[in-house]
Amino acid sequence: MLWVNKTPAVFLFEGLEEKEKEALLKGGKIKNFSSQEYIYRHGEPADYFYIVSQGTIKLFRETPDGYALTTDILIAGNTAGEIEILESVPLYQSSAMAVGAVSMLQFSRHWLKDAAKKSSQFALNLLAYVAQQARQSEIEVEQQATMSAGQLLACFLQRVCVLHEFDPKGFELPYSKSLIASRLGIELETFSRTWARLKDHGIKVNGAQVAFVNPPMLEEYVCDQCSITHDCPTHQAFQSKVSR
Amino acid sequence: MLWVNKTPAVFLFEGLEEKEKEALLKGGKIKNFSSQEYIYRHGEPADYFYIVSQGTIKLFRETPDGYALTTDILIAGNTAGEIEILESVPLYQSSAMAVGAVSMLQFSRHWLKDAAKKSSQFALNLLAYVAQQARQSEIEVEQQATMSAGQLLACFLQRVCVLHEFDPKGFELPYSKSLIASRLGIELETFSRTWARLKDHGIKVNGAQVAFVNPPMLEEYVCDQCSITHDCPTHQAFQSKVSR
DNA sequence: CGACACTTTGAAGACGATCAACGCCGGTGG
DNA sequence: CCACCGGCGTTGATCGTCTTCAAAGTGTCG
């Protein structure tokens, strides 16, 4: 089984006693958002920590001139706001918007800090969690710097497949193509062309249908970082064949 | 004065009592390294946490085929290894090598975790510190995705100027050009050409000499993220003029 | 002086962005 | 029911940027 680099939020409560865990979870409120609704906006005080329970959220930043870059796509089990809350200037550094109907657990900023203060176990979990995010971003820098659009897209599809627990032999894209393009930092046109060319290289696509031709040996499109990156979702199962 | 996005390690001890601080610092050993010496290697168990006290360290990863990418350049006050130690798989995710003679404070892996366990203040400091690193990486992803080589280089020079407390009106590059090129993820040739073209746009260069023509208004080369990114080193002082 | 590391310069090519046009589809309103 | 429209995606042509390969220049050190 593939190893997934995006630990879900449950990890934060690992090693805590049932009582503690329950007490902590009681500090959260369920909040529902409808499609296109903002959960928070870039620049606002980071007052809340969120755990996604249902639906999809996109995190993005925009420049005054209207250019938007999607920095992350969150699904059930992911979290938002923890980094900002923990930083010395607690302002949201991106905007969060619901993509479709969304349900989240909302906790106050103080809840997070207090939990870390009171339980050293929670603090260590949170440290590991945040460290993981830092690592993930570092990997992304590396990938952006060294991989082509095709490699980025292929890696993304593999990650999607794993995180959503889809069947590698065939599944439907859970997001719009524009969203993915924005997430990968490429233009929609480039995405479209790249998408078409995946066919020739081991990933069959048809509309929004994706199928890995040889799930156990997706060599052609495995990023060349895989052989050295413990966090790469493909690393545990595949060997890279891509040379530079 | 510019705001610097790379908090030095002293921040970790902020808010602690003098006694605690001293006790903690006693857990560290001074280690010296000569030029080109490895401090640690990618894939080794992350047994030590380091604080740089003198010299320059480069962090980098390499693929089996010999391609190397510099992920960070550390100077006095910076730290290494904390992310890896805190992660659930404590292996170094990059190699660290001395660039010139280096002196570091070395602490054991357990020192770091114990300090976080025993002092909730230290734990919160560490959380803020790691969160900051995560943010920094996120910003880098964004910059890699949206900025040209010229913008990247100009931003880098500004950061260098600030972090080293150089005179913006003229200073000498503290690293080799190849190192910087690798750090920015561009080829040496591209770097060289870009370097020459900085002249036309408000940064005078001559060999390894750098001078900002109009320090208070480096508009041309300020990345367009600046207007929205609180962590951008240029954000506090400059307004962006770059459009896309 | 020669070896070697580091950097520069030139020419060609790959890749992605941009601009423009069009196809497809679902919804709305006449 | 059909015409129009807007969101979304595709396709083509062109352009600029960065990489790649090749060669030569600069400096230091023995």
Short mmCIF file of all heavy atoms in Angstrom, two decimals, chain A residues 161-208:
data_model
loop_
_atom_site.label_atom_id
_atom_site.label_comp_id
_atom_site.label_asym_id
_atom_site.label_seq_id
_atom_site.Cartn_x
_atom_site.Cartn_y
_atom_site.Cartn_z
N CYS A 161 -5.26 9.89 -6.31
CA CYS A 161 -5.74 8.51 -6.30
C CYS A 161 -5.55 7.89 -4.92
O CYS A 161 -6.46 7.25 -4.38
CB CYS A 161 -4.98 7.71 -7.35
SG CYS A 161 -5.47 5.99 -7.48
N VAL A 162 -4.40 8.13 -4.32
CA VAL A 162 -4.10 7.56 -3.02
C VAL A 162 -4.93 8.22 -1.92
O VAL A 162 -5.56 7.54 -1.10
CB VAL A 162 -2.60 7.71 -2.70
CG1 VAL A 162 -2.32 7.24 -1.29
CG2 VAL A 162 -1.78 6.91 -3.70
N LEU A 163 -4.93 9.54 -1.92
CA LEU A 163 -5.61 10.25 -0.85
C LEU A 163 -7.11 9.99 -0.84
O LEU A 163 -7.74 9.96 0.21
CB LEU A 163 -5.35 11.76 -0.96
CG LEU A 163 -3.93 12.20 -0.63
CD1 LEU A 163 -3.69 13.64 -1.05
CD2 LEU A 163 -3.69 12.04 0.87
N HIS A 164 -7.68 9.82 -2.01
CA HIS A 164 -9.12 9.58 -2.09
C HIS A 164 -9.44 8.09 -2.07
O HIS A 164 -10.60 7.71 -2.16
CB HIS A 164 -9.69 10.22 -3.36
CG HIS A 164 -9.74 11.71 -3.32
ND1 HIS A 164 -10.90 12.40 -3.10
CD2 HIS A 164 -8.77 12.64 -3.44
CE1 HIS A 164 -10.66 13.70 -3.12
NE2 HIS A 164 -9.37 13.87 -3.32
N GLU A 165 -8.40 7.30 -2.03
CA GLU A 165 -8.57 5.85 -2.04
C GLU A 165 -9.38 5.39 -3.25
O GLU A 165 -10.28 4.55 -3.14
CB GLU A 165 -9.23 5.39 -0.74
CG GLU A 165 -8.35 5.72 0.46
CD GLU A 165 -8.95 5.26 1.78
OE1 GLU A 165 -10.19 5.14 1.84
OE2 GLU A 165 -8.18 5.03 2.72
N PHE A 166 -9.00 5.94 -4.39
CA PHE A 166 -9.66 5.55 -5.63
C PHE A 166 -9.01 4.29 -6.18
O PHE A 166 -7.91 3.92 -5.79
CB PHE A 166 -9.52 6.67 -6.67
CG PHE A 166 -10.37 7.88 -6.39
CD1 PHE A 166 -9.96 9.14 -6.81
CD2 PHE A 166 -11.58 7.76 -5.71
CE1 PHE A 166 -10.75 10.25 -6.57
CE2 PHE A 166 -12.37 8.87 -5.47
CZ PHE A 166 -11.94 10.12 -5.90
N ASP A 167 -9.69 3.70 -7.14
CA ASP A 167 -9.14 2.54 -7.83
C ASP A 167 -8.19 3.03 -8.92
O ASP A 167 -8.61 3.72 -9.84
CB ASP A 167 -10.29 1.73 -8.46
CG ASP A 167 -9.77 0.55 -9.25
OD1 ASP A 167 -8.55 0.30 -9.24
OD2 ASP A 167 -10.59 -0.14 -9.88
N PRO A 168 -6.92 2.66 -8.83
CA PRO A 168 -5.94 3.14 -9.82
C PRO A 168 -6.31 2.70 -11.23
O PRO A 168 -5.86 3.30 -12.20
CB PRO A 168 -4.63 2.49 -9.40
CG PRO A 168 -4.85 1.91 -8.05
CD PRO A 168 -6.32 1.75 -7.86
N LYS A 169 -7.11 1.67 -11.35
CA LYS A 169 -7.46 1.18 -12.69
C LYS A 169 -8.52 2.05 -13.36
O LYS A 169 -8.85 1.83 -14.53
CB LYS A 169 -7.95 -0.27 -12.61
CG LYS A 169 -6.88 -1.24 -12.11
CD LYS A 169 -7.12 -2.65 -12.65
CE LYS A 169 -6.51 -3.71 -11.74
NZ LYS A 169 -7.38 -3.95 -10.55
N GLY A 170 -9.07 2.99 -12.62
CA GLY A 170 -10.05 3.87 -13.22
C GLY A 170 -10.82 4.65 -12.19
O GLY A 170 -11.42 4.09 -11.29
N PHE A 171 -10.76 5.95 -12.29
CA PHE A 171 -11.54 6.79 -11.38
C PHE A 171 -11.83 8.13 -12.04
O PHE A 171 -11.24 8.47 -13.07
CB PHE A 171 -10.79 7.00 -10.05
CG PHE A 171 -9.48 7.72 -10.18
CD1 PHE A 171 -9.42 9.11 -10.07
CD2 PHE A 171 -8.30 7.02 -10.41
CE1 PHE A 171 -8.20 9.78 -10.18
CE2 PHE A 171 -7.08 7.68 -10.53
CZ PHE A 171 -7.04 9.06 -10.41
N GLU A 172 -12.75 8.83 -11.42
CA GLU A 172 -13.14 10.12 -11.98
C GLU A 172 -12.48 11.25 -11.21
O GLU A 172 -12.41 11.21 -9.99
CB GLU A 172 -14.67 10.28 -11.92
CG GLU A 172 -15.15 11.56 -12.57
CD GLU A 172 -16.61 11.44 -12.98
OE1 GLU A 172 -17.12 10.30 -13.07
OE2 GLU A 172 -17.24 12.48 -13.20
N LEU A 173 -11.99 12.22 -11.94
CA LEU A 173 -11.35 13.40 -11.36
C LEU A 173 -12.31 14.07 -10.38
O LEU A 173 -13.42 14.44 -10.75
CB LEU A 173 -11.01 14.37 -12.50
CG LEU A 173 -9.71 15.13 -12.42
CD1 LEU A 173 -8.56 14.17 -12.16
CD2 LEU A 173 -9.50 15.88 -13.71
N PRO A 174 -11.88 14.25 -9.13
CA PRO A 174 -12.80 14.84 -8.16
C PRO A 174 -12.86 16.35 -8.19
O PRO A 174 -13.66 16.95 -7.49
CB PRO A 174 -12.24 14.34 -6.82
CG PRO A 174 -10.79 14.14 -7.06
CD PRO A 174 -10.62 13.82 -8.52
N TYR A 175 -12.00 16.99 -8.97
CA TYR A 175 -12.00 18.45 -9.04
C TYR A 175 -12.09 18.90 -10.49
O TYR A 175 -11.82 18.13 -11.40
CB TYR A 175 -10.72 19.04 -8.44
CG TYR A 175 -10.23 18.37 -7.19
CD1 TYR A 175 -9.00 17.76 -7.14
CD2 TYR A 175 -11.03 18.36 -6.04
CE1 TYR A 175 -8.54 17.15 -5.98
CE2 TYR A 175 -10.58 17.75 -4.89
CZ TYR A 175 -9.34 17.14 -4.87
OH TYR A 175 -8.89 16.53 -3.73
N SER A 176 -12.42 20.15 -10.68
CA SER A 176 -12.44 20.70 -12.04
C SER A 176 -11.00 20.84 -12.54
O SER A 176 -10.06 20.98 -11.76
CB SER A 176 -13.12 22.06 -12.05
OG SER A 176 -12.24 23.05 -11.59
N LYS A 177 -10.87 20.80 -13.84
CA LYS A 177 -9.52 20.90 -14.41
C LYS A 177 -8.90 22.25 -14.14
O LYS A 177 -7.69 22.35 -13.93
CB LYS A 177 -9.60 20.62 -15.92
CG LYS A 177 -10.01 19.19 -16.21
CD LYS A 177 -10.01 18.87 -17.69
CE LYS A 177 -10.40 17.41 -17.89
NZ LYS A 177 -10.44 17.05 -19.33
N SER A 178 -9.70 23.29 -14.14
CA SER A 178 -9.12 24.61 -13.87
C SER A 178 -8.55 24.66 -12.47
O SER A 178 -7.49 25.25 -12.24
CB SER A 178 -10.16 25.72 -14.03
OG SER A 178 -11.36 25.24 -14.52
N LEU A 179 -9.24 24.03 -11.53
CA LEU A 179 -8.75 24.03 -10.15
C LEU A 179 -7.39 23.34 -10.07
O LEU A 179 -6.46 23.83 -9.45
CB LEU A 179 -9.76 23.35 -9.23
CG LEU A 179 -9.37 23.28 -7.76
CD1 LEU A 179 -9.11 24.67 -7.19
CD2 LEU A 179 -10.43 22.57 -6.94
N ILE A 180 -7.30 22.21 -10.74
CA ILE A 180 -6.04 21.46 -10.70
C ILE A 180 -4.92 22.25 -11.37
O ILE A 180 -3.81 22.34 -10.85
CB ILE A 180 -6.20 20.09 -11.39
CG1 ILE A 180 -7.26 19.27 -10.66
CG2 ILE A 180 -4.88 19.35 -11.42
CD1 ILE A 180 -7.62 17.98 -11.33
N ALA A 181 -5.23 22.84 -12.51
CA ALA A 181 -4.22 23.64 -13.20
C ALA A 181 -3.70 24.72 -12.26
O ALA A 181 -2.49 24.91 -12.11
CB ALA A 181 -4.80 24.26 -14.46
N SER A 182 -4.62 25.40 -11.61
CA SER A 182 -4.23 26.47 -10.71
C SER A 182 -3.40 25.93 -9.55
O SER A 182 -2.41 26.52 -9.13
CB SER A 182 -5.48 27.17 -10.18
OG SER A 182 -5.17 28.03 -9.13
N ARG A 183 -3.79 24.75 -9.07
CA ARG A 183 -3.03 24.14 -7.98
C ARG A 183 -1.62 23.78 -8.40
O ARG A 183 -0.69 23.84 -7.60
CB ARG A 183 -3.76 22.87 -7.52
CG ARG A 183 -3.01 22.04 -6.49
CD ARG A 183 -2.99 22.75 -5.15
NE ARG A 183 -2.19 22.07 -4.14
CZ ARG A 183 -0.89 22.26 -3.99
NH1 ARG A 183 -0.25 23.07 -4.79
NH2 ARG A 183 -0.24 21.62 -3.04
N LEU A 184 -1.46 23.41 -9.65
CA LEU A 184 -0.13 23.01 -10.12
C LEU A 184 0.68 24.20 -10.64
O LEU A 184 1.83 24.05 -11.04
CB LEU A 184 -0.27 21.96 -11.24
CG LEU A 184 -0.91 20.64 -10.82
CD1 LEU A 184 -1.02 19.72 -12.02
CD2 LEU A 184 -0.07 19.97 -9.74
N GLY A 185 0.06 25.36 -10.63
CA GLY A 185 0.78 26.54 -11.09
C GLY A 185 1.00 26.58 -12.58
O GLY A 185 1.96 27.16 -13.06
N ILE A 186 0.11 25.93 -13.35
CA ILE A 186 0.23 26.02 -14.80
C ILE A 186 -1.06 26.57 -15.38
O ILE A 186 -2.11 26.53 -14.74
CB ILE A 186 0.55 24.64 -15.45
CG1 ILE A 186 -0.55 23.63 -15.14
CG2 ILE A 186 1.88 24.12 -14.96
CD1 ILE A 186 -0.26 22.26 -15.68
N GLU A 187 -0.99 27.07 -16.58
CA GLU A 187 -2.16 27.66 -17.23
C GLU A 187 -3.11 26.56 -17.69
O GLU A 187 -2.68 25.45 -17.98
CB GLU A 187 -1.74 28.51 -18.41
CG GLU A 187 -0.93 29.72 -18.02
CD GLU A 187 -1.66 30.60 -17.02
OE1 GLU A 187 -2.84 30.92 -17.26
OE2 GLU A 187 -1.05 30.97 -16.00
N LEU A 188 -4.37 26.91 -17.79
CA LEU A 188 -5.38 25.93 -18.19
C LEU A 188 -5.06 25.35 -19.57
O LEU A 188 -5.24 24.15 -19.80
CB LEU A 188 -6.76 26.59 -18.20
CG LEU A 188 -7.91 25.67 -18.55
CD1 LEU A 188 -7.95 24.47 -17.63
CD2 LEU A 188 -9.23 26.43 -18.47
N GLU A 189 -4.60 26.18 -20.48
CA GLU A 189 -4.25 25.70 -21.82
C GLU A 189 -3.14 24.66 -21.76
O GLU A 189 -3.22 23.61 -22.39
CB GLU A 189 -3.81 26.87 -22.71
CG GLU A 189 -4.89 27.86 -23.02
CD GLU A 189 -4.85 29.04 -22.08
OE1 GLU A 189 -4.52 28.83 -20.90
OE2 GLU A 189 -5.14 30.16 -22.52
N THR A 190 -2.12 24.99 -21.00
CA THR A 190 -1.01 24.04 -20.85
C THR A 190 -1.52 22.75 -20.23
O THR A 190 -1.17 21.65 -20.67
CB THR A 190 0.08 24.64 -19.95
OG1 THR A 190 0.50 25.87 -20.49
CG2 THR A 190 1.27 23.70 -19.85
N PHE A 191 -2.37 22.90 -19.24
CA PHE A 191 -2.94 21.73 -18.58
C PHE A 191 -3.65 20.86 -19.60
O PHE A 191 -3.45 19.65 -19.66
CB PHE A 191 -3.93 22.18 -17.51
CG PHE A 191 -4.61 21.03 -16.81
CD1 PHE A 191 -4.11 20.55 -15.61
CD2 PHE A 191 -5.74 20.43 -17.35
CE1 PHE A 191 -4.71 19.48 -14.97
CE2 PHE A 191 -6.34 19.36 -16.73
CZ PHE A 191 -5.84 18.89 -15.54
N SER A 192 -4.46 21.49 -20.41
CA SER A 192 -5.26 20.76 -21.38
C SER A 192 -4.36 19.96 -22.33
O SER A 192 -4.61 18.78 -22.61
CB SER A 192 -6.11 21.75 -22.17
OG SER A 192 -6.99 21.08 -23.03
N ARG A 193 -3.33 20.60 -22.83
CA ARG A 193 -2.41 19.90 -23.75
C ARG A 193 -1.70 18.76 -23.02
O ARG A 193 -1.57 17.66 -23.56
CB ARG A 193 -1.39 20.89 -24.30
CG ARG A 193 -1.99 21.92 -25.24
CD ARG A 193 -0.93 22.85 -25.78
NE ARG A 193 -1.26 24.25 -25.55
CZ ARG A 193 -1.96 25.00 -26.38
NH1 ARG A 193 -2.40 24.48 -27.50
NH2 ARG A 193 -2.22 26.25 -26.11
N THR A 194 -1.25 19.06 -21.82
CA THR A 194 -0.54 18.04 -21.05
C THR A 194 -1.45 16.85 -20.78
O THR A 194 -1.05 15.70 -20.89
CB THR A 194 -0.07 18.63 -19.70
OG1 THR A 194 0.67 19.82 -19.94
CG2 THR A 194 0.81 17.64 -18.95
N TRP A 195 -2.66 17.14 -20.43
CA TRP A 195 -3.67 16.14 -20.15
C TRP A 195 -3.79 15.15 -21.31
O TRP A 195 -3.78 13.94 -21.12
CB TRP A 195 -5.00 16.84 -19.91
CG TRP A 195 -6.12 15.95 -19.51
CD1 TRP A 195 -7.15 15.53 -20.29
CD2 TRP A 195 -6.33 15.38 -18.22
NE1 TRP A 195 -7.99 14.74 -19.57
CE2 TRP A 195 -7.52 14.63 -18.29
CE3 TRP A 195 -5.64 15.44 -17.01
CZ2 TRP A 195 -8.02 13.92 -17.20
CZ3 TRP A 195 -6.14 14.75 -15.93
CH2 TRP A 195 -7.32 14.00 -16.04
N ALA A 196 -3.87 15.72 -22.51
CA ALA A 196 -4.02 14.89 -23.70
C ALA A 196 -2.80 14.00 -23.90
O ALA A 196 -2.91 12.86 -24.33
CB ALA A 196 -4.23 15.78 -24.92
N ARG A 197 -1.64 14.51 -23.57
CA ARG A 197 -0.41 13.77 -23.82
C ARG A 197 -0.12 12.71 -22.76
O ARG A 197 0.78 11.89 -22.95
CB ARG A 197 0.77 14.72 -23.97
CG ARG A 197 1.28 14.78 -25.41
CD ARG A 197 2.34 15.84 -25.56
NE ARG A 197 1.80 17.17 -25.37
CZ ARG A 197 2.33 18.09 -24.57
NH1 ARG A 197 3.41 17.82 -23.89
NH2 ARG A 197 1.76 19.28 -24.45
N LEU A 198 -0.86 12.69 -21.67
CA LEU A 198 -0.64 11.68 -20.65
C LEU A 198 -0.90 10.29 -21.21
O LEU A 198 -0.28 9.31 -20.81
CB LEU A 198 -1.57 11.92 -19.45
CG LEU A 198 -1.17 13.04 -18.50
CD1 LEU A 198 -2.19 13.17 -17.39
CD2 LEU A 198 0.21 12.79 -17.92
N LYS A 199 -1.82 10.23 -22.15
CA LYS A 199 -2.17 8.96 -22.77
C LYS A 199 -0.96 8.20 -23.27
O LYS A 199 -0.82 7.00 -23.06
CB LYS A 199 -3.11 9.20 -23.97
CG LYS A 199 -4.53 9.47 -23.58
CD LYS A 199 -5.40 9.68 -24.83
CE LYS A 199 -6.71 10.33 -24.40
NZ LYS A 199 -7.59 10.68 -25.48
N ASP A 200 -0.11 8.91 -23.95
CA ASP A 200 1.05 8.27 -24.57
C ASP A 200 2.04 7.72 -23.54
O ASP A 200 3.02 7.10 -23.90
CB ASP A 200 1.80 9.27 -25.47
CG ASP A 200 0.86 10.14 -26.25
OD1 ASP A 200 -0.29 9.70 -26.48
OD2 ASP A 200 1.24 11.26 -26.63
N HIS A 201 1.80 7.99 -22.30
CA HIS A 201 2.83 7.67 -21.32
C HIS A 201 2.34 6.93 -20.09
O HIS A 201 2.85 7.13 -18.99
CB HIS A 201 3.55 8.94 -20.89
CG HIS A 201 4.20 9.66 -22.03
ND1 HIS A 201 5.43 9.31 -22.53
CD2 HIS A 201 3.78 10.70 -22.80
CE1 HIS A 201 5.75 10.11 -23.54
NE2 HIS A 201 4.76 10.95 -23.73
N GLY A 202 1.30 6.14 -20.26
CA GLY A 202 0.95 5.26 -19.16
C GLY A 202 -0.22 5.70 -18.32
O GLY A 202 -0.59 5.03 -17.37
N ILE A 203 -0.80 6.86 -18.63
CA ILE A 203 -2.01 7.25 -17.92
C ILE A 203 -3.08 7.51 -18.96
O ILE A 203 -2.97 8.42 -19.76
CB ILE A 203 -1.78 8.51 -17.05
CG1 ILE A 203 -0.68 8.23 -16.02
CG2 ILE A 203 -3.08 8.89 -16.33
CD1 ILE A 203 -0.44 9.38 -15.07
N LYS A 204 -4.11 6.68 -18.94
CA LYS A 204 -5.19 6.84 -19.89
C LYS A 204 -6.17 7.84 -19.34
O LYS A 204 -6.60 7.74 -18.19
CB LYS A 204 -5.92 5.51 -20.11
CG LYS A 204 -5.52 4.80 -21.40
CD LYS A 204 -6.49 3.66 -21.67
CE LYS A 204 -5.75 2.35 -21.80
NZ LYS A 204 -6.58 1.18 -21.59
N VAL A 205 -6.56 8.78 -20.16
CA VAL A 205 -7.57 9.74 -19.72
C VAL A 205 -8.64 9.85 -20.78
O VAL A 205 -8.39 9.64 -21.97
CB VAL A 205 -6.96 11.13 -19.47
CG1 VAL A 205 -5.98 11.09 -18.32
CG2 VAL A 205 -6.30 11.67 -20.72
N ASN A 206 -9.82 10.16 -20.33
CA ASN A 206 -10.95 10.29 -21.23
C ASN A 206 -11.95 11.19 -20.53
O ASN A 206 -12.63 10.76 -19.61
CB ASN A 206 -11.56 8.91 -21.53
CG ASN A 206 -12.65 9.01 -22.57
OD1 ASN A 206 -13.05 10.12 -22.95
ND2 ASN A 206 -13.15 7.87 -23.01
N GLY A 207 -12.00 12.44 -20.96
CA GLY A 207 -12.84 13.39 -20.23
C GLY A 207 -12.29 13.55 -18.83
O GLY A 207 -11.15 13.95 -18.66
N ALA A 208 -13.09 13.21 -17.85
CA ALA A 208 -12.63 13.32 -16.47
C ALA A 208 -12.25 11.96 -15.90
O ALA A 208 -11.99 11.82 -14.71
CB ALA A 208 -13.72 13.96 -15.61
#
